[in-house]
Amino acid sequence: MSQRPGIPKGTRDFAPVEVAKRTYIINTIKKHFENFGFQPIETPSFENSETLMGKYGEEGDRLIFKILNSGDYLRKVDDKIYEDRQSAALTKYISEKALRYDLTVPFARYVVMHQNEIDFPFKRYQVQPVWRADRPQKGRFREFYQCDADVVGSNSLLQEVEFIQLYDAVFSSLKLEGTTIKMNNRKILSGIAEVIGAKDKLIDFTVALDKLDKIGAEGVQKEMLAKGITEEAIAKVAPLFNFNGTNEERLQQLETLLKDSEEGLKGIEELSFILKTIAALGLKTATLELDVTLARGLNYYTGAIFEVAAPAQVKMGSIGGGGRYDDLTGVFGLKNISGVGISFGLDRIYLVLEELGVFPESLEKTIDVLFINFGEEEALQSLKAVKTLREGGVKAELYPDNAKMKKQMNYANRRNVPYIIMIGGQELSDTTFVLKNMENGEQKTYPMTELSAVFK
RNA sequence: GUGGUUGUAGCUCAGCUGGUUAGAGCGCUAGAUUGUGGUUCUAGAGGUCGCCGGUUCGAAACCGGUCUUCCACCCCA
């Protein structure tokens, strides 16, 4: 009996064209990472559970793929725990390893483990798959690639400035124009929570605020009330619900709101510096926008928070995100090391480029030239030519069988081969070859000696 | 994790309130065309109707479960 083939939900196979397009994106990103001075590292696809658990909040723990222990793992489980059937409690007895959930936490672990070999500030990049036990949707998978660049060991806000330039450089290079880099600062969010007297409800407050563009001002107020934030407090933040104008104007409004919060004012100062510096340097195709409702990754971000939105005409969640985390390595025992980094969502960028039709056409081409097979002797002559071309860097191949011409031509067509070369009985005796342009159908006979020159 | 949605040929989809042998277009294979592809014509191959169970004389269709797809929450790249 043969079994029905299938792959787990949220995972994909990639065809040759898709791999070509993904490689194109990855190479573009890597090129810019290196251009900005980042160095690559890689970490294992799975980590000890304790390295990952508790780093992404309760929700995160649920989405981490756990790996079942090897061997007779149930034997070691306490009878009481086993009989209670509490999955969460049982997990730590039967699973000690888990698949990587993102690249930031493993990086923090790496920094702590290798602190004595690292020269700070350390700029690293990492392009590897991560796994989340999420329910798939458009642009959301259970296995996907993240492309991260982070700097640890520098408190300078110039790092934030560099990351904004990096986003701009990569997206411009990918012809993905019109992206919006949204920026906020954890200190501003804390400051707002402080001045409205809801400091203890920071997370609830920001999570609700983050939904402004989705559920509107009324929805946000409703959710805040439900989370126990008072009406007076909500009235104080009301100006944020109609927050517009230039970045400068927004900063001024914030300054008024946060005049009594030392932390909030610090956040404004940071944002102000970054905005001013970027304004002086200029961006190619991206727009930098101050967005006080942006509140992602609060479990570890302490300063700047970034998120990149695709051009408005594409309906897609964020295609990148990042921020500053002052104490990520703290949980692994290394204090006072500040980090800041950004991430590119490869799979989503792919979908956006596809939708906008901005992948280079050349990615569709598989080989430069196909030789038609006319029989044993002709094939040998063709193979000699193939060898010469390959040595010159031309992607060439000979059709393996002496099949009908139509079949061989069809094959060339389907593979988008731009040229074919025919060496049949006539050409064999003349030591010539026929070059045919598959696009316009033109063909011409050349002496064999001109083979390499033709492809220059 | 919650609620909903989807599944019929390789692909896109028809298939009536349950009723003979489940169809179309595209694609594929072969021929027309033994050294010339994309066009045209002709013929052909290809289906556990997602899977399991139930209702029924009879199920692709109705019901339950399950898997998958997509969507809204949650969260997030």
Side-chain angles (χ1 to χ4, degrees), chain A residues 369-372 389 419-423 433-435 451 455:
Chain A
V369 56
L370 178 79
F371 282 72
I372 301 294
L389 287 177
Y419 291 100
I420 61 164
I421 285 182
M422 287 173 280
I423 299 175
F433 66 92
V434 174
L435 177 75
L451 180 66
F455 281 91

Side-chain angles (χ1 to χ4, degrees), chain A residues 87-377:
Chain A
S87 304
L90 188 60
T91 301
K92 65 179 170 190
Y93 294 95
I94 62 174
S95 164
E96 291 159 356
K97 299 173 288 298
L99 288 179
R100 181 169 59 213
Y101 176 88
D102 73 356
L103 301 179
T104 307
V105 168
F107 173 52
R109 192 225 77 221
Y110 175 96
V111 169
V112 176
M113 280 182 70
H114 301 276
Q115 53 186 286
N116 295 326
E117 311 146 30
I118 292 174
D119 298 316
F120 294 100
F122 179 45
K123 299 171 78 172
R124 87 87 171 77
Y125 76 83
Q126 194 170 352
V127 177
Q128 291 190 277
V130 303
W131 295 268
R132 296 186 185 177
D134 207 353
R135 195 171 283 206
Q137 284 181 36
K138 190 181 186 71
R140 286 177 89 155
F141 307 96
R142 300 212 291 185
E143 177 183 61
F144 63 96
Y145 269 71
Q146 283 192 333
C147 313
D148 278 25
D150 291 79
V151 182
V152 286
S154 166
N155 292 310
S156 170
L157 289 174
L158 291 178
Q159 305 298 353
E160 276 84 340
V161 171
E162 277 217 324
F163 281 121
I164 292 164
Q165 292 182 295
L166 182 51
Y167 267 140
D168 182 49
V170 169
F171 289 127
S172 300
S173 193
L174 288 172
K175 302 274 182 291
L176 178 50
E177 301 178 356
T179 54
T180 305
I181 303 170
K182 298 187 206 166
M183 178 172 65
N184 194 11
N185 195 298
R186 162 71 175 257
K187 297 185 177 84
I188 285 177
L189 292 168
S190 296
I192 296 170
E194 186 187 336
V195 298
I196 65 169
K199 197 158 189 181
D200 55 323
K201 295 202 167 60
L202 176 66
I203 300 284
D204 285 338
F205 167 75
T206 49
V207 165
L209 189 60
D210 189 52
K211 295 179 190 164
L212 181 63
D213 58 340
K214 213 178 213 172
I215 60 178
E218 253 178 71
V220 172
Q221 291 179 33
K222 213 168 138 189
E223 179 159 336
M224 286 182 175
L225 272 177
K227 294 288 184 185
I229 295 168
T230 64
E231 291 205 37
E232 301 101 292
I234 295 171
K236 279 189 194 165
V237 293
L240 297 181
F241 298 153
N242 298 300
F243 207 63
N244 41 38
T246 64
N247 288 333
E248 269 307 308
E249 288 162 358
R250 291 178 189 202
L251 273 179
Q252 276 168 19
Q253 291 177 61
L254 272 180
E255 213 161 344
T256 313
L257 182 68
L258 295 174
K259 60 181 187 299
D260 296 324
S261 165
E262 195 186 323
E263 191 177 11
L265 290 174
K266 180 84 174 75
I268 291 174
E269 193 187 319
E270 290 184 13
L271 280 185
S272 177
F273 174 82
I274 296 165
L275 287 168
K276 199 181 68 197
T277 312
I278 287 293
L281 293 167
L283 294 176
K284 277 179 260 185
T285 63
T287 308
L288 181 60
E289 182 186 295
L290 171 58
D291 181 356
V292 279
T293 68
L294 180 61
R296 299 300 166 86
L298 281 179
N299 283 306
Y300 45 80
Y301 291 145
T302 54
I305 303 171
F306 299 115
E307 184 169 304
V308 184
Q313 71 263 34
V314 185
K315 198 170 168 264
M316 176 65 64
S318 66
I319 54 175
R324 181 174 286 272
Y325 36 88
D326 278 338
D327 198 31
L328 190 67
T329 55
V331 290
F332 298 121
L334 182 61
K335 301 286 182 192
N336 300 320
I337 294 285
S338 181
V340 54
I342 58 172
S343 181
F344 290 81
L346 168 68
D347 299 272
R348 288 190 178 178
I349 293 170
Y350 183 105
L351 291 171
V352 172
L353 295 187
E354 193 73 272
E355 196 167 330
L356 295 175
V358 291
F359 276 114
E361 251 179 64
S362 60
L363 296 177
E364 311 265 346
K365 188 176 76 176
T366 53
I367 52 171
D368 300 313
V369 56
L370 178 79
F371 282 72
I372 301 294
N373 190 324
F374 287 99
E376 217 172 295
E377 262 185 81

